[in-house]
Amino acid sequence: MLYNNEDTIAAIATPPGDGGIGIVRVSGPEASFVVDKIFQADKKKPLKSHQMYHGWLKDPAQNRLLDKANLCFMKAPRSYTGEDILEIFCHGGRAVLERVLEAVLSCKVRLAEKGEFSKRAFLNGKLDLTQAEAVLDLVKAETKKSAGFALMQLEGKLSQKVNKIRNELIGLISEIEVAIDFEEEVKGINVLKVKDKIDNEIKIIDEMLKTSEAGKIFRNGLATVIIGKPNVGKSSLMNALLDEERVIVTSMPGTTRDAIEEVVNINGMPLKIIDTAGIREPKDEAERVGVERAKKEAGAAEFFLVVIDSSNKVDDLDRQVLREVEGKKAVVVLNKKDLGNYNGEDGYASVANGHPAFPISAKYKDGIRELKDCIYTYVEGQASSGKEGQALVNMRHKECLMKAREALYKASMSCSEGLSPDFIAIDLKDAVVALGEVTGEIVSDEIINTVFEQFCVGK
Ligand code: GDP
């Protein structure tokens, strides 16, 4: 998609569904012209920036009233995109919002593409690339903890860290280049010292790379499947895990959540539980597609909750299920503890095969809190995850950081091997470029497009 800041763009910025308020957002040079065309303020006064106005929205073509609304105009560059922005707060129904949008689009305005508002914010220097990505993470965050990590990135914590390494490398390159250019006057470079500095940067990058696993979990949720033979209490466990959140969060119509998955909040860590109950003999084509998808998603699961009915003897079917998770991340749930523990907790240790095992009663919701703690500690330990105060890298950052690391490693080797400083400088420059890709300082259109295509229209 070509960027043309002559264009004025608009989109509905709130999610579909019957909201009390819905927002239509407009960005570009025609934004104030739109106000003139479609808005009749209660009190006629000149349009000022960053002030709220109340009045009627009307369709300019037919001069028909559309809705009563509030409206705010934000003059460039003091706006999200850095351009003139108009936000119209009208009633949230689909039909109202669509009519308002149509009226806006009749004023030399075109429909925004996916993520185009945030893309403009990036291209106008309002956000760097990691911050734009943080906007998406924040909007998509399923738990407060995930939102906290996104906020940290939006604040610029990740970019600051990357920029610090980058600036230090740029300093090092200029030191080396001065030494090369003025070989006669300058005593040359202290290769050992240069190598030390490079190795230190590699260490910092390694620390950042370690957060990528946690980054994946807190951004996308940990893909989880509850397995166990029939009637051990899988559905009951799912309900018990979901129970607490249902009280606060009711699922909203129009949200994009897939029917085959539910997100469970494990002390702030989102577990995306794929509903394997949906995996049965399909009755029709629609069901077949659903079952295929559920199977595929279950196959890609990264974490397993293995449910065993602990009031009964562990049998071959249980063992077969446990064999499926050998060498994988799993917690064994010893359910129905209210009925008495057939094997005694110790008896399950050998069956659990090294996985943590935890007794609960899903039916009476006994031990659910503790099970959540157990899952959290286990997953966190496996992912060396989510330390407070540290921004988490995503897959794109990881790729760039790995490229930078590779270049730095080469530079470090060149130091050890006593190669010419030119070689060292070339590799350091490669590392600088790779780091610049993280923040978007140096970045191709292709990368920009890939990042913003993940957004939806209106962001
Ligand atoms: P699934 O087939 O594995 O999904 O098992 P369900 O969750 O449907 O449970 C099967 C039966 O076990 C139901 O009658 C549940 O009420 C019962 N059940 C589930 N968990 C417990 C529990 O902790 N204690 C007792 N006593 N019964 C349970």
Side-chain angles (χ1 to χ4, degrees):
M1 110 174 110
L2 269 176
Y3 175 58
N4 179 357
N5 60 0
E6 298 288 299
D7 280 4
T8 299
I9 55 170
I12 298 170
T14 38
D18 306 334
I21 297 171
I23 301 175
V24 173
R25 198 188 223 179
V26 188
S27 180
E30 300 291 331
S32 65
F33 168 75
V34 173
V35 182
D36 296 340
K37 291 286 270 187
I38 73 164
F39 188 63
Q40 211 166 25
D42 291 344
K43 287 187 198 126
K44 191 101 187 104
K45 45 186 176 183
L47 186 67
K48 284 199 193 144
S49 184
H50 293 84
Q51 281 199 14
M52 199 65 105
Y53 295 85
H54 184 257
W56 282 100
L57 293 171
K58 56 182 179 20
D59 177 347
Q62 294 160 23
N63 213 12
R64 187 176 50 165
L65 294 179
L66 295 174
D67 195 8
K68 240 180 165 338
N70 278 316
L71 160 158
C72 183
F73 173 71
M74 286 157 272
K75 181 104 196 104
R78 278 178 58 215
S79 74
Y80 179 65
T81 55
E83 304 170 340
D84 282 358
I85 281 196
L86 173 66
E87 281 181 3
I88 304 167
F89 305 85
C90 51
H91 290 103
R94 195 75 219 164
V96 177
L97 281 163
E98 275 175 12
R99 283 173 76 186
V100 173
L101 181 63
E102 273 167 27
V104 170
L105 294 178
S106 71
C107 309
K108 296 191 210 153
V109 176
R110 72 163 164 84
L111 192 63
E113 295 182 25
K114 283 179 173 180
E116 199 173 358
F117 291 97
S118 301
K119 185 180 183 181
R120 288 183 173 206
F122 165 67
L123 293 171
N124 289 326
K126 284 278 168 179
L127 299 169
D128 71 27
L129 207 49
T130 71
Q131 287 172 317
E133 288 170 318
V135 170
L136 186 61
D137 291 342
L138 191 58
V139 173
K140 283 185 13 192
E142 295 274 5
T143 68
K144 290 180 203 155
K145 203 159 176 176
S146 298
F149 284 121
L151 265 181
M152 227 180 314
Q153 192 172 319
L154 186 59
E155 267 181 84
K157 288 261 161 67
L158 187 64
S159 326
Q160 282 158 16
K161 223 168 176 173
V162 172
N163 283 335
K164 187 158 181 272
I165 308 175
R166 196 163 172 261
N167 290 337
E168 278 166 8
L169 293 180
I170 290 171
L172 202 53
I173 294 169
S174 52
E175 267 177 50
I176 296 173
E177 284 182 342
V178 169
I180 298 171
D181 290 346
F182 301 97
E183 219 173 335
E184 310 291 298
E185 297 105 273
V186 186
K187 247 184 28 215
I189 50 164
N190 181 337
V191 178
L192 275 183
K193 235 167 124 185
V194 170
K195 181 177 156 49
D196 254 7
K197 280 188 186 165
I198 295 172
D199 290 346
N200 190 41
E201 305 299 352
I202 292 178
K203 252 192 241 152
I204 300 172
I205 290 180
D206 282 343
E207 283 301 310
M208 294 177 78
L209 283 170
K210 271 195 211 150
T211 66
S212 72
E213 181 82 0
K216 210 163 98 192
I217 294 173
F218 280 97
R219 282 191 181 88
N220 309 329
L222 182 62
T224 304
V225 178
I226 301 180
I227 56 171
K229 63 183 188 187
N231 279 318
V232 289
K234 296 181 295 294
S235 319
S236 310
L237 171 64
M238 177 80 163
N239 286 333
L241 287 172
L242 280 169
D243 208 34
E244 288 170 49
E245 290 121 65
R246 284 243 170 86
V247 181
I248 324 172
V249 185
T250 51
S251 102
M252 278 181 289
T255 47
T256 48
R257 170 79 47 80
D258 211 305
I260 62 163
E261 66 182 44
E262 289 270 14
V263 176
V264 172
N265 183 341
I266 303 288
N267 304 353
M269 179 187 284
L271 283 204
K272 194 170 72 185
I273 301 188
I274 297 134
D275 183 11
T276 45
I279 303 182
R280 56 195 144 92
E281 274 308 303
K283 283 202 293 289
D284 53 32
E285 178 60 15
E287 254 193 40
R288 193 189 64 73
V289 174
V291 168
E292 283 307 311
R293 276 213 47 204
K295 270 190 183 163
K296 197 165 151 242
E297 300 244 354
E302 296 156 290
F303 179 61
F304 300 84
L305 288 169
V306 184
V307 185
I308 286 180
D309 175 354
S310 65
S311 68
N312 274 308
K313 194 168 186 305
V314 174
D315 64 13
D316 283 345
L317 267 178
D318 291 317
R319 286 198 191 85
Q320 195 185 323
V321 175
L322 279 155
R323 265 199 302 277
E324 278 181 40
V325 299
E326 239 170 45
K328 298 184 180 161
K329 287 181 199 154
V331 166
V332 178
V333 181
L334 308 172
N335 192 30
K336 308 197 186 183
K337 75 170 185 173
D338 53 290
L339 296 179
N341 204 333
Y342 185 90
N343 296 292
E345 265 158 52
D346 291 346
Y348 291 100
S350 58
V351 188
N353 219 347
H355 299 298
F358 203 84
I360 64 153
S361 166
K363 186 172 177 178
Y364 298 103
K365 304 202 170 57
D366 184 13
I368 301 299
R369 257 301 70 235
E370 294 80 358
L371 173 65
K372 285 189 170 184
D373 291 343
C374 171
I375 295 172
Y376 187 92
T377 313
Y378 173 74
V379 176
E380 191 185 38
Q382 298 276 314
S384 69
S385 90
K387 289 196 192 74
E388 305 289 342
Q390 192 173 9
L392 308 177
V393 305
N394 68 18
M395 289 303 121
R396 189 187 71 77
H397 309 146
K398 182 178 170 185
E399 252 176 59
C400 305
L401 288 173
M402 302 262 279
K403 259 198 275 173
R405 190 194 191 283
E406 207 180 296
L408 288 177
Y409 181 73
K410 270 203 219 157
S412 173
M413 292 306 282
S414 302
C415 292
S416 308
E417 288 162 12
L419 294 185
S420 144
D422 291 296
F423 285 110
I424 305 170
I426 289 171
D427 289 329
L428 291 183
K429 280 180 193 165
D430 284 347
V432 166
V433 170
L435 291 170
E437 280 178 6
V438 177
T439 54
E441 191 107 357
I442 305 169
V443 80
S444 65
D445 284 352
E446 197 189 330
I447 294 176
I448 298 176
N449 289 343
T450 325
V451 168
F452 290 100
E453 267 160 19
Q454 298 166 42
F455 287 58
C456 49
V457 176
K459 285 190 198 98

